[in-house]
Amino acid sequence: MPPPSDIVKVAIEWPGAFPKLMEIDQKKPLSAIIKEVCEGWSLGNHENFALQNADSTNFYITEKNRNDIKNGSILRLTTSPSQMAGQLHERIQSSSMDAKLEALKDLANSSRDVTFAQEFINLDGISLLTQMVESGTDFGDLLSFTLTAFVELMDHGIVSWDTFSVAFIKKIAGYVNKSAMDTAVLQRSLAILESMVLNSQDLYQKVAQEITIGQLIPHLQGMVLCYPSNDRTDQDIQTYTIAVINALFLKAPEDKRQVGYTHSEISIYLYLSISISICTNVIRSPKPINDEMAHQLYVLQVLTFNLLEDRMMTKMDPQDQAQRDIIFELRRIAFDVECEPNNSGSIEKRKSMYTRDYKKLGFINHVNPAMDFTQIPPGMLALDNMLLSDFLSFSIELTKMLCEILKVGELPSENCHDFHPMFFTHDRSFEEFFCICIQLLNKTWKEMRATSEDFNKVMQVVREQIMRALTQKPNSLDQLKSRLQNLSYTEILKIRQSERMNQEDFQSRPILELREKIQPEIMELIKQQRLNRLCDGTCFRKISSRRRQDKFWYCRLSPNHKVLHYGDLEESPQGEVPHDSLQEKLPVADMKAVVTGKDCPHMKEKGSLKGGRVVCLTCMYTYLSSPVSPQYCVWTDGLNALLGKEMTSDFTKSDMDTLLSMEMKLRLLDLENIQIPEAPPPIPKEPSNYDFVYDCN
């Protein structure tokens, strides 16, 4: 007979004693269990004790998380969180430097536990730490562990960032601005500045007065002496530095964001310095770029291109004479004409001449070409690019295409690492990118011997050329230009033909009818797979004031597809989490819609860096944001399936194409006198060596 589900067998440790094996009844109050354990070791005052996990986390066992205890777990009897908080609060004020250092180490480690953190914060512990920093008497390891404990405590979101004084901000900024600084202190200081900027507009103003992007650049260049230092910590410093730069970019007022896309010489110089520093010291560094650095570079890339959004979404005012003068200038440049005097012919004659010229330039509205720039996107950005181009008629559509490819105006996602090194090699990367692509468009137009009726076909080919070149991640704009040269129209045709031969792409009527017949079966199969995945559940990383976080929550669908169970976890689980251990429930019948991306109110409230691969569940809506992972596709598909709606994710399209192609090929095989085995063939043994593998890099 299996043991009751409420009974968990564990081992409990106590210093100086043999571990005790006992059964925990999960129906009993936790205080009663702790009292029983204390009595077993003849310990009084059981209210001063608590249980915690005897692993690397040392997290306390509470009524909220006790259901996470598994059979065979090892627990430890220890001082209660309130007692521990009081002891550490007193110890960190010791006059002995050695005792104080040990206390701060223990505090930094214990502060990762939210239960302890709450008790320490209740003792006004955050204020004590900030006073220690403001006093300026601690340095080296003492200061490092003070800041580490502060970061861990703030990471729980219990205390508002708006409560800190200017003196504290000045101290933290001062550590970043110093020419020589302990690596750990510098890392923590950068992390604190990032969180301050991201979590409070008021704090952004105060931080921006103490530190500028220009003062952060030396950290990218390795010009600040850090001790101790190694390759790993050097890249960590660079990563934290770029994170702070991203935060400053994100929170800056609109009139101060135009770094790199303004005519201010200071701004151009500043952006150029950032680009050169990143290109030289990060991208071209012999050290490989880790995931966190790749993400920060991706975010910086997105924020930089998003500076184009305002121009892209601004319509031209046909009545604005200054804007109309730009079009007149385009005509003058294109036809090398001088400005005609007012008496150089009749008004009708001049209008006719202008109309003829604007038609030659490719404007849709020949009479009033300003109307061509009232469509958004690309808005006034297309007019800006026209000034860079010799092929004016292509500029509007190409600008719109490049904005779509670069996702201008979209929010950066939480865990995406898709950055392009070449965009950090030039201070005017978008303009240079446009110029390369407009030359490609002209070249492809000639290769295709296109006419005006073929414009859309040419644009499709150009888009494919650009996308294929970008997937190769060129390191410079010159390398991009070289790769685009190799992707001629003839080469694109060859690639398409090759791909067509490798795919099931027959167009005969019987084949098309078979595809239509099979497609509903495949869609149902995908739907069942999605629902099964929801029933298995998914662990999501929690997002708080700082991006770097190792806290989780879990969500899974009930087997009858009627309820979503979800709840917090202290660590990523190994395997599925039982339904009964997830405290919160959301009936599927209460869900009304699946809202994603920019339409998600959660994203609008939290800011572009705080969405990520997050599923936010409320009473009436299910919100998902940032489609960057299979989990996103699985959950959006599954929730849409539960609501009886169409599954539209890229993952579904890919699965449909793959499964449909496989099924078609199987049904079209000539299987006469061939028996299909019921069991799959055995997996072959691994080769004795891999010397035959060729490294393409």
Side-chain angles (χ1 to χ4, degrees), residues 150-364:
F150 174 83
V151 169
E152 294 293 347
L153 290 167
M154 290 301 298
D155 196 39
H156 298 294
I158 300 171
V159 177
S160 169
W161 283 92
D162 287 311
T163 59
F164 298 106
S165 66
V166 174
F168 179 72
I169 297 171
K170 285 180 178 289
K171 274 291 182 183
I172 299 300
Y175 299 141
V176 174
N177 288 332
K178 281 188 177 180
S179 58
M181 180 51 60
D182 178 84
T183 300
V185 172
L186 181 55
Q187 284 183 358
R188 303 302 182 273
S189 299
L190 289 167
I192 291 169
L193 289 180
E194 181 196 8
S195 294
M196 283 180 172
V197 172
L198 289 177
N199 286 280
S200 169
Q201 189 64 36
D202 183 53
L203 282 184
Y204 160 76
Q205 301 289 349
K206 294 175 181 177
V207 171
Q209 292 174 3
E210 301 299 326
I211 191 166
T212 65
I213 291 177
Q215 291 171 305
L216 293 169
I217 291 176
H219 294 298
L220 297 176
Q221 300 168 335
M223 294 174 62
V224 176
L225 178 62
C226 296
Y227 51 88
S229 181
N230 54 48
D231 286 350
R232 172 62 185 168
T233 53
D234 286 347
Q235 189 171 109
D236 287 342
I237 294 296
Q238 292 172 329
T239 303
Y240 279 90
T241 300
I242 298 176
V244 176
I245 291 174
N246 287 338
L248 290 171
F249 266 69
L250 185 69
K251 289 294 183 177
E254 291 294 332
D255 59 337
K256 294 185 179 180
R257 287 189 187 180
Q258 299 302 318
V259 177
Y261 292 97
T262 177
H263 294 292
S264 165
E265 293 181 3
I266 296 177
S267 296
I268 292 173
Y269 171 77
L270 181 60
Y271 185 77
L272 181 60
S273 298
I274 296 173
S275 299
I276 291 175
S277 298
I278 291 176
C279 182
T280 304
N281 302 289
V282 178
I283 294 175
R284 293 177 180 170
S285 169
K287 299 186 292 289
I289 294 177
N290 58 36
D291 286 347
E292 180 65 19
M293 172 63 84
H295 171 75
Q296 294 299 341
L297 291 175
Y298 154 78
V299 172
L300 180 58
Q301 173 183 292
V302 171
L303 294 178
T304 302
F305 285 130
N306 279 358
L307 298 176
L308 302 168
E309 183 181 16
D310 182 63
R311 199 68 175 157
M312 180 184 75
M313 300 305 290
T314 299
K315 295 181 179 181
M316 185 173 187
D317 181 3
Q319 306 305 319
D320 189 319
Q321 186 59 44
Q323 295 179 0
R324 290 168 63 88
D325 287 344
I326 299 176
I327 297 178
F328 294 151
E329 178 66 9
L330 287 171
R331 173 180 172 268
R332 188 193 66 78
I333 295 172
F335 298 105
D336 194 22
V337 296
E338 298 296 334
C339 293
E340 297 88 353
N342 291 334
N343 58 357
S344 62
S346 66
I347 295 176
E348 287 73 16
K349 182 178 180 181
R350 289 204 308 273
K351 283 185 177 179
S352 175
M353 182 172 56
Y354 285 177
T355 300
R356 179 199 64 204
D357 291 346
Y358 291 144
K359 184 176 182 180
K360 289 181 180 179
L361 287 174
F363 287 110
I364 297 174

Side-chain angles (χ1 to χ4, degrees), residues 68 72 88 91 127 156 177 179 243 264 266 268 289 304 368 417 434 460 518:
D68 295 336
L88 287 176
R91 286 171 57 200
S127 296
H156 298 294
N177 288 332
S179 58
S264 165
I266 296 177
I268 292 173
I289 294 177
T304 302
N368 186 6
H417 310 124
F434 173 83
Q460 290 174 6
I518 295 174

Side-chain angles (χ1 to χ4, degrees), residues 309-316 370 372-385 396 399-400 403:
E309 183 181 16
D310 182 63
R311 199 68 175 157
M312 180 184 75
M313 300 305 290
T314 299
K315 295 181 179 181
M316 185 173 187
D372 285 15
F373 302 99
T374 58
Q375 179 189 3
I376 54 173
M380 290 295 290
L381 185 61
L383 184 58
D384 297 340
N385 287 337
I396 297 177
T399 300
K400 184 178 179 181
C403 288

Side-chain angles (χ1 to χ4, degrees), residues 84-100:
M84 178 67 76
Q87 293 172 8
L88 287 176
H89 192 276
E90 182 178 349
R91 286 171 57 200
I92 62 175
Q93 301 178 71
S94 171
S95 58
S96 167
M97 292 297 102
D98 290 339
K100 187 174 183 179

